[in-house]
Amino acid sequence: ATGLVAQAQAAGFRVAVWTFRRESVALCFDSLEAELAAHAAAGVEAVFADHPDVAVRIFTAQTSGQTPSSAGTRVSTGT
């Protein structure tokens, strides 16, 4: 981790990243879940993803201290 997320947040910015897709996982990760988990651990506050259920599960687990497999997969529709 570079600390860039923390620096941006310290300057008053909120950090969002996009677009996470299974077919375009960064080479340094072996899965979409691993890539999302790394961003969640870095403190990213929001993501855009083609698989929102996976993103919600990973970020919910990160913020609640659970393992991703035991976190919920509910997706908010904003309604």
Side-chain angles (χ1 to χ4, degrees):
T2 66
L4 184 60
V5 172
Q7 291 172 17
Q9 291 168 332
F13 292 98
R14 298 191 69 196
V15 180
V17 183
W18 67 90
T19 297
F20 290 91
R21 299 185 166 101
R22 285 204 188 278
E23 61 272 7
S24 61
V25 171
L27 294 175
C28 57
F29 299 105
D30 62 359
S31 68
L32 174 64
E33 290 80 1
E35 186 174 20
L36 285 164
H39 283 81
V44 167
E45 298 165 285
V47 296
F48 293 83
D50 285 356
H51 303 280
D53 57 323
V54 176
V56 168
R57 180 171 41 89
I58 298 296
F59 274 75
T60 299
Q62 181 69 30
T63 59
S64 67
Q66 298 175 347
T67 59
S69 61
S70 64
T73 58
R74 212 173 88 202
V75 175
S76 173
T77 61
T79 58

